[in-house]
Amino acid sequence: MKEQIVYRTNELENAIDYLEQAADFFENVENPHRFKWLMISLHGALYGFGVCAIKGSRSYHNVIKEIDMKTKKVKAKKAELESLLSEFDFDLDSMLTLNVSQLISIWTVLDRCKSEDYMQRFVHSKVLQTTSQQDHAIKKLIEYRNQLAHFKPSAYGITGNYEEDIIMPVVDVISFLALESNNINYYNDESKMRVEKALHIFKIELKKLT
């Protein structure tokens, strides 16, 4: 009996899911761990839509680190893939590169989103430009996410208006990448509508909080 796939996703669905999760936690002001999950999910959405914006429709080389194809690790993985895929017509080198390579860092992704070399892929493509407030918000988001995702034994607390200081500036950057850069191809209306709905939730909920 053929084993059934129990989970399926791709880079765009991954980014949309993170954004929707962030919107859900933004609405749920009573959740005692709201801040933690907002930092984690917004980080995933920012990273994910940045990857989608610079990736292009066919090539993943814009978002992965280059690897040495001659290392023992790579040679062993190539032999494994050759054995598994011997009956199929695959571009083995491309599959090997994706299988072994690591994703570039979020900072590199954002730098490339600000570069015409990576973002000017279509006639109507736009390059990301961030304000000093957005840069500061992104820096704090990444710091908090890393601390919370890799939590060391400690007592932890934060103060301040993180909705306005961190969340909304980051959401504006995500909104640009997802809807205004014109670099992300939505293959159906439903996916784009999910993004628009999630972003709208942030605007509605912020008005309630202010």
Side-chain angles (χ1 to χ4, degrees), residues 28-65:
N28 189 2
V29 295
E30 300 301 324
N31 189 318
H33 298 291
R34 176 178 184 252
F35 176 79
K36 177 181 79 171
W37 290 113
L38 276 169
M39 296 300 103
I40 292 173
S41 53
L42 274 179
H43 180 281
L46 178 64
Y47 204 167
F49 280 110
V51 166
C52 291
I54 63 174
K55 176 187 70 67
S57 59
R58 296 182 180 178
S59 174
Y60 289 83
H61 295 287
N62 286 351
V63 297
I64 60 174
K65 297 178 182 178

Side-chain angles (χ1 to χ4, degrees), residues 112-178:
R112 293 184 179 184
C113 287
K114 297 178 181 181
S115 167
E116 291 186 358
D117 291 339
Y118 289 94
M119 289 291 280
Q120 290 292 351
R121 298 193 290 107
F122 307 110
V123 174
H124 300 295
S125 293
K126 296 180 182 178
V127 175
L128 174 66
Q129 296 179 342
T130 54
T131 65
S132 58
Q133 181 188 22
Q134 289 170 338
D135 289 337
H136 179 73
I138 290 170
K139 180 175 181 291
K140 297 305 294 182
L141 170 78
I142 294 173
E143 287 177 357
Y144 284 134
R145 177 267 174 188
N146 290 343
Q147 291 168 7
L148 293 165
H150 310 285
F151 200 81
K152 293 183 290 187
S154 63
Y156 192 87
I158 64 107
T159 59
N161 188 348
Y162 64 85
E163 287 95 349
E164 291 189 9
D165 295 341
I166 299 176
I167 293 173
M168 295 314 297
V170 170
V171 167
D172 286 340
V173 174
I174 293 171
S175 180
F176 173 85
L177 293 171

